[in-house]
Amino acid sequence: MSMDEIIAFVDALGGVLTLRPGPGDGTPELAWGDAFFYYSPDGAVPTATQPFATIVTKNYPGDETSGLDRPGAFRVNIAAGRDEFVRRLGHGPGAPAAAPDAATDAATDGARAAATDVLIAHPVYGAQAWLAVVEPGPRTGTAVRDLLRRAHELAKNRYERRAAAER
């Protein structure tokens, strides 16, 4: 899956505002080239909500374990929700994956975060039930699409609850 294929897929879900920061738009240079997906059927940039998914194309400070400094590398990040996180990874957000040795866990988590086409807990936001895939491909393509649909549904439901409360 390419970045453009993922963006087209998410845009087709409906009610999505896709932000692609770049030079001259007032966004921080660090975000240029990335993509941020919001549920916003009115097309307005939400001020009080986070995106339901993102695509990052470089390492961010404190988030270097995925090794996105490689040419062409990117990671799709998805706010999957707790239930889907547990279903996909077999443990709760913030809980370590089952392994007997803490030293092995640290080494394994670092290697897992940089592995391509593997579904992982987001290296920084896993405790908030975010999942991630570096360079999704044949092994994770279906899961990524399913998770993006689910994250979109969750974001839509939150939007509708907020809109109903404002009436």
Side-chain angles (χ1 to χ4, degrees):
M1 298 178 79
S2 71
M3 257 185 82
D4 289 335
E5 289 171 328
I6 295 166
I7 291 167
F9 176 82
V10 174
D11 285 344
L13 294 173
V16 174
L17 174 63
T18 300
L19 299 181
R20 295 189 77 176
D25 66 6
T27 57
E29 186 175 348
L30 182 60
W32 295 355
D34 296 344
F36 302 85
F37 305 104
Y38 295 88
Y39 184 79
S40 180
D42 62 5
V45 178
T47 57
T49 188
Q50 295 293 316
F52 67 85
T54 67
I55 300 173
V56 295
T57 58
K58 66 199 76 63
N59 293 328
Y60 276 69
D63 183 10
E64 296 89 7
T65 59
S66 292
L68 299 178
D69 50 352
R70 304 178 308 246
F74 69 94
R75 185 182 68 217
V76 61
N77 308 299
I78 307 165
R82 186 182 199 302
D83 292 344
E84 197 64 26
F85 186 101
V86 171
R87 187 172 89 72
R88 299 287 179 156
L89 297 186
H91 60 85
D101 179 338
T104 302
D105 282 354
T108 302
D109 286 346
R112 193 176 311 126
T116 60
D117 201 18
V118 176
L119 183 67
I120 61 169
H122 187 285
V124 176
Y125 300 109
Q128 286 79 38
W130 280 70
L131 294 170
V133 179
V134 175
E135 299 174 36
R139 288 186 303 212
T140 59
T142 298
V144 165
R145 285 186 288 278
D146 290 346
L147 289 164
L148 287 167
R149 276 189 211 96
R150 179 67 180 142
H152 173 265
E153 178 184 335
L154 292 170
K156 180 180 178 183
N157 291 343
R158 281 189 300 274
Y159 177 92
E160 290 172 349
R161 280 193 309 271
R162 279 192 303 273
E166 291 174 4
R167 290 184 213 147

